[in-house]
Amino acid sequence: MVSAIGNDRNTFWESLTRGCHGFREITLADTSDLQYRMGAEVQGLSFEDSFDPGSRELLDRFAMLFLLAAREAIADSGLEAAELREAAIVTGSSLGGQSTEDELFRALYQEGRRRITPFAVPRTMANAGASHLSIAIGCEGPGLTLSTACASSTHAIGLAFWLVSQGVVERAIAGGSEAPFSRGHLKAWDSLRAIAPDLPRPFSLGRKGMVLGEGGGALVLESLESARRRGAHLRSLLVGFGMSSDAGHITKPSARGAARALRAALEDGAVDRERVDYINAHGTGTPLNDVAECQAIQEVFGDRASRLFVSSTKSMHGHALGASGALEAAATVLAIENRVVPPTANFLEPDPECPLDCVPNEAREAETRVALSSSFAFGGLNAVLAFAAPPP
Amino acid sequence: MSDALASKVIAAIAAVSKRPIEDVKLESTFGELGIDSLNGFHLLCELEEDLGIVIPDDDARDLRSVGDVVEKIRPLVEARSS
């Protein structure tokens, strides 16, 4: 786990449970003419110490963020590289190595450079994280990268889950990463006017939008049989994956599309909705998303909706676009394991249009039997994961 | 209010909405012209570039009609010229 609120699982979880956010003024790009200055940048990480100079030359920031997260996840799994030789690697990223493109294209167009480094293409490709991981650990199984905007790594984890549950592979490393802080990309978001000038306040009155974040997250998935055979510590069970497309507007969220994905995840996992206790929401903090998402939850859960905990951890780690799903899946797993529901931070007061228990500002101690992690992307592509507490 | 700024805004809105300029009136709403939020933000982006102004996000979210746009950006254009 690498994020603005922690560069390892424990620090990430401690920040989430304390309601600490990672927003500061953006330092990685010039924001002087933007309508926002805040972002959730990864702090206190030395890429120089983590990667040798030869590797760094080939790695965009987004790929390094994924590789660091994957190293931690693999170490935590207790699996040796040889045991992952046949595993799948599935990653998600919305932007790939756009920081590299931004930097090199500026040199080409603005500074008059005539040549671009041959490292540009391998640094920029969206599958760089997956490819470098397979090389690093000698993993020869299926490898692929999905790009579905803000749902990228949720789709990646879901597809990896299906590869394992269908018996295509016994193990998979799945997640994603994003490094969105380049001047060109920040200017593009400025024009969309979806970014809050201060803090994201999901589901709260007074919310003005999302705030961008960066990071990387990875999970090691393993068939239950294999995990039990080797006596692995089970943090949670991934039991269902649902997808849908809004078939509506390219940026406007749809309650109907979100509801369809929520239902699909429950059906895939044969989960009774009465057993769902927590939803780690998409919860961007834009006025439209949060209302549509609450409507979708109410439509799917009926009376149960008012008894669910629904929190947005984007209020702390920021909207890390294609990496969000991986960070939030991890938060969901940790919520089940630690019997604590992370809060929605920066919450001011309830919005009558978001009439759910959004766990404002303070974590709650609560046992979670089943939890969902939702991602509803621009473009109307939706993905939901269902996690359950492992059997005692 | 047939002035140069209003004419410029009307021309920009006609271009964004892909409609003949005669169809765009000051009282026309974005809804009537088929301009959704994304196209609306595209319009503001074009006007900002053309007029050398910055339209604050909070103001941008309140715009509903052609006349709203003219009224909201007039002081910004005047401030830039003075």
Side-chain angles (χ1 to χ4, degrees), chain A residues 35 190-197 208-209 249-252 287-288, chain B residues 36-42 44-45 48 54-58 60-61:
Chain A
Q35 296 210 37
D190 200 36
S191 297
L192 266 176
R193 299 177 189 267
I195 311 277
K208 290 193 167 178
H249 191 271
I250 197 69
T251 54
K252 190 178 173 190
L288 290 181
Chain B
D36 64 12
S37 61
L38 188 58
N39 279 314
F41 293 150
H42 173 57
L44 299 186
C45 201
E48 286 180 327
V54 174
I55 303 164
D57 285 353
D58 281 344
R61 293 191 186 103

Side-chain angles (χ1 to χ4, degrees), chain A residues 35-203:
Chain A
Q35 296 210 37
Y36 62 93
R37 303 273 187 280
M38 303 293 276
E41 292 178 348
V42 167
Q43 304 284 323
L45 197 61
S46 166
F47 293 116
E48 287 75 16
D49 292 344
S50 305
F51 299 95
D52 63 60
S55 301
R56 281 206 309 278
E57 221 164 25
L58 277 168
L59 292 166
D60 182 272
R61 187 176 175 92
F62 96 101
M64 290 193 272
L65 293 175
F66 175 70
L67 290 171
L68 291 171
R71 280 181 195 170
E72 186 194 14
I74 292 168
D76 179 60
S77 75
L79 290 163
E80 299 296 330
E83 296 172 287
L84 290 164
R85 185 170 297 277
E86 306 297 327
I89 298 174
V90 190
T91 65
S93 178
S94 176
L95 307 168
Q98 63 81 35
S99 311
T100 291
E101 279 187 340
D102 190 72
E103 184 186 321
L104 296 178
F105 290 176
R106 185 177 57 224
L108 185 68
Y109 298 137
Q110 194 175 329
E111 294 162 13
R113 268 190 73 100
R114 291 187 303 118
R115 302 285 294 167
I116 277 187
T117 170
F119 299 141
V121 171
R123 280 177 67 129
T124 302
M125 61 193 192
N127 58 304
S131 297
H132 281 282
L133 179 62
S134 82
I135 294 165
I137 63 171
C139 177
E140 297 174 346
L144 65 155
T145 295
L146 305 176
S147 188
T148 51
C150 311
S152 299
S153 51
T154 307
H155 275 116
I157 294 167
L159 193 63
F161 161 61
W162 279 355
L163 289 173
V164 173
S165 61
Q166 296 294 312
V168 177
V169 293
E170 200 162 52
R171 295 168 184 138
I173 302 155
S177 64
E178 207 75 86
F181 294 114
S182 74
R183 173 144 173 83
H185 190 66
L186 296 183
K187 286 291 283 184
W189 277 104
D190 200 36
S191 297
L192 266 176
R193 299 177 189 267
I195 311 277
D198 48 9
L199 296 171
R201 305 183 190 283
F203 304 116

Side-chain angles (χ1 to χ4, degrees), chain A residues 220-240:
Chain A
V220 174
L221 310 181
E222 186 170 15
S223 72
L224 193 53
E225 188 191 357
S226 163
R228 283 189 165 144
R229 197 167 56 231
R230 67 184 185 93
H233 169 62
L234 301 179
R235 294 192 181 277
S236 81
L237 301 182
L238 180 46
V239 296

Side-chain angles (χ1 to χ4, degrees), chain A residues 1-18 20-24 40-45 65 68-69 72 214-218 313 316-318 320 327 330 334:
Chain A
M1 208 54 48
V2 184
S3 74
I5 56 169
N7 298 329
D8 59 77
R9 186 188 66 248
N10 289 337
T11 312
F12 174 76
W13 179 242
E14 196 185 318
S15 297
L16 288 182
T17 51
R18 289 169 50 212
C20 292
H21 69 71
F23 303 105
R24 297 173 184 83
E41 292 178 348
V42 167
Q43 304 284 323
L45 197 61
L65 293 175
L68 291 171
E72 186 194 14
E214 64 173 350
T313 51
M316 294 172 274
H317 52 64
L327 299 179
L334 292 166

Side-chain angles (χ1 to χ4, degrees), chain A residues 9 12-13 16 235 329-340:
Chain A
R9 186 188 66 248
F12 174 76
W13 179 242
L16 288 182
R235 294 192 181 277
T332 307
V333 168
L334 292 166
I336 291 172
E337 186 182 18
N338 294 291
R339 298 184 169 86
V340 172

Side-chain angles (χ1 to χ4, degrees), chain B residues 1 9 13 25-28 65-72:
Chain B
M1 208 199 319
V9 169
I13 291 178
K25 313 286 181 204
L26 279 174
E27 56 276 16
S28 307
S65 70
V66 178
D68 286 350
V69 177
V70 177
E71 268 179 50
K72 195 61 80 174

